[in-house]
Amino acid sequence: MSLAVGDNAPDFTLKDQFGAPITLSGVLTGKAALVVFYPFAFSGICTGELCGVRDDLARYQNDAVDFLAISCDPMPALKAWGEQEGYDFSLLSDFWPHGQVARDYGVFHEEAGFAVRGSFLIDQSGVVRWSVVNGPGEARDFSEAADAIAAL
């Protein structure tokens, strides 16, 4: 069961594509956070979704909100993918312990070993204000996230 609106978001620390640790509670000291889980770097739907964010980044990462994309891919794969696609946002590795943060958020697909497409808008107090979970093979509509950010 994934986190619901009104739930407290579990804190986490994960390394980004450059090896820098990113802690959710640290991000929330200055902004809200849009935390987005996705299955795999270099896959078609995931690349399409995050390229859409990249191309309209100001809607998802600005003075009010930070965009954090999380997968179970290892850090070197995320770095290569981020450089290839020109991503100017954090790609966080939930590689080890494998999928632990995805499990904490209720979006880890145990049988397949990856995170499904969970999206969570977390306010500065650490409370989930909007969420949606899409299953494997189901692309998400990021305009819903932009609307939720605008409503904060």
Side-chain angles (χ1 to χ4, degrees), residues 65-87:
V65 66
D66 208 355
F67 184 81
L68 304 174
I70 302 173
S71 76
C72 296
D73 293 299
M75 189 187 66
L78 296 178
K79 184 176 182 196
W81 188 46
E83 288 173 357
Q84 175 182 303
E85 301 299 336
Y87 296 147

Side-chain angles (χ1 to χ4, degrees), residues 15-31:
K15 289 187 178 178
D16 71 8
Q17 67 266 42
F18 306 108
I22 304 291
T23 300
L24 177 63
S25 57
V27 170
L28 297 179
T29 61
K31 301 179 178 188

Side-chain angles (χ1 to χ4, degrees), residues 22-114:
I22 304 291
T23 300
L24 177 63
S25 57
V27 170
L28 297 179
T29 61
K31 301 179 178 188
L34 178 58
V35 176
V36 173
F37 292 87
Y38 61 95
F40 298 111
F42 297 101
S43 64
I45 293 173
C46 298
T47 299
E49 286 181 338
L50 294 188
C51 282
V53 169
R54 174 201 65 203
D55 295 346
D56 199 10
L57 189 57
R59 290 180 76 187
Y60 309 103
Q61 182 166 285
N62 52 51
D63 291 340
V65 66
D66 208 355
F67 184 81
L68 304 174
I70 302 173
S71 76
C72 296
D73 293 299
M75 189 187 66
L78 296 178
K79 184 176 182 196
W81 188 46
E83 288 173 357
Q84 175 182 303
E85 301 299 336
Y87 296 147
D88 288 328
F89 47 83
S90 296
L91 300 173
L92 304 180
S93 176
D94 191 16
F95 184 70
W96 198 258
H98 191 73
Q100 187 58 57
V101 175
R103 281 184 183 89
D104 292 345
Y105 279 68
V107 296
F108 189 74
H109 191 299
E110 291 290 341
E111 295 79 31
F114 62 80

